[in-house]
Amino acid sequence: MSTSGKVAVAGVAAAIVLFWAVGFWAGLLVLIGVPAAAYLLLDSSQRRRLRGVSRKRIGR
């Protein structure tokens, strides 16, 4: 299984546990808010590199 597949499976498992533990809307807020906050904490060069990786421009 690829790395992105493992991350997706872990995300689904975390979502199920989080929804069960704190409720749907609070869990949804955490699942969307944490990655968004992490992205906003990156500086502009790190964001540019992250966009490049997602577009398969590794090594340019």
Side-chain angles (χ1 to χ4, degrees), residues 5-19 31:
K6 291 176 186 176
V7 169
V9 169
V12 169
I16 291 170
V17 170
L18 197 58
F19 289 159
L31 286 174

Side-chain angles (χ1 to χ4, degrees), residues 2 20 23-24 28 31 47 50 57 59:
S2 68
W20 177 76
F24 178 78
L28 187 64
L31 286 174
R47 289 180 192 170
L50 185 62
R57 293 189 312 187

Side-chain angles (χ1 to χ4, degrees), residues 12-45:
V12 169
I16 291 170
V17 170
L18 197 58
F19 289 159
W20 177 76
V22 297
F24 178 78
W25 292 112
L28 187 64
L29 180 66
V30 169
L31 286 174
I32 292 173
V34 170
Y39 180 77
L40 292 174
L41 288 173
L42 297 174
D43 68 4
S44 61
S45 66

